Amino acid sequence: MARQSISFTEPNDNWLKTQVENNEYSSKSELVNDLIRQARKQQKQIDWIAAKLDKAESSGFTSDSKEQILSQSKSLLNG
């Protein structure tokens, strides 16, 4: 695993410490890694939506029903 040295603002460092002290996470590293995983998942969702919008805009219309789009969105959100 790669080691990094990063700096946090005081409010962010205090928040990280509180999460660890409350046993939400065992370390700041675990918390930061979890936040990065969440951000990557969100980016994947944003990219999927953007691709659907691009396809819809270039084709004029999508043939997917509201229910299909909702189902696909929920599936993506749930990994």
Side-chain angles (χ1 to χ4, degrees), residues 46-62:
I46 291 167
D47 292 345
W48 179 84
I49 291 168
K52 281 290 199 180
L53 289 172
D54 287 343
K55 180 181 176 187
E57 288 173 355
S58 66
S59 70
F61 292 95
T62 180

Side-chain angles (χ1 to χ4, degrees), residues 6 10 13 19 34 46 49 53 57 59 64-65 71 77:
I6 58 175
E10 187 174 343
D13 188 49
Q19 301 308 303
D34 188 42
I46 291 167
I49 291 168
L53 289 172
E57 288 173 355
S59 70
D64 293 349
S65 69
S71 175
L77 287 172

Side-chain angles (χ1 to χ4, degrees), residues 32-48:
V32 170
N33 273 311
D34 188 42
L35 292 171
I36 291 170
R37 277 190 292 276
Q38 290 176 37
R40 291 171 58 199
K41 184 176 179 180
Q42 288 174 346
Q43 188 61 54
K44 183 178 175 182
Q45 294 165 356
I46 291 167
D47 292 345
W48 179 84

Side-chain angles (χ1 to χ4, degrees), residues 60-77:
F61 292 95
T62 180
S63 60
D64 293 349
S65 69
K66 292 186 293 186
E67 292 77 17
Q68 288 172 313
I69 293 171
L70 181 60
S71 175
Q72 291 170 357
S73 298
K74 286 181 178 180
S75 175
L76 182 65
L77 287 172

Side-chain angles (χ1 to χ4, degrees), residues 8-48:
F8 298 106
T9 62
E10 187 174 343
N12 287 344
D13 188 49
N14 289 336
W15 184 82
L16 290 168
K17 287 178 184 175
T18 300
Q19 301 308 303
V20 173
E21 289 168 0
N22 290 338
N23 295 318
E24 294 293 327
Y25 295 89
S26 62
S27 68
K28 287 187 205 177
S29 293
E30 180 186 357
L31 174 52
V32 170
N33 273 311
D34 188 42
L35 292 171
I36 291 170
R37 277 190 292 276
Q38 290 176 37
R40 291 171 58 199
K41 184 176 179 180
Q42 288 174 346
Q43 188 61 54
K44 183 178 175 182
Q45 294 165 356
I46 291 167
D47 292 345
W48 179 84

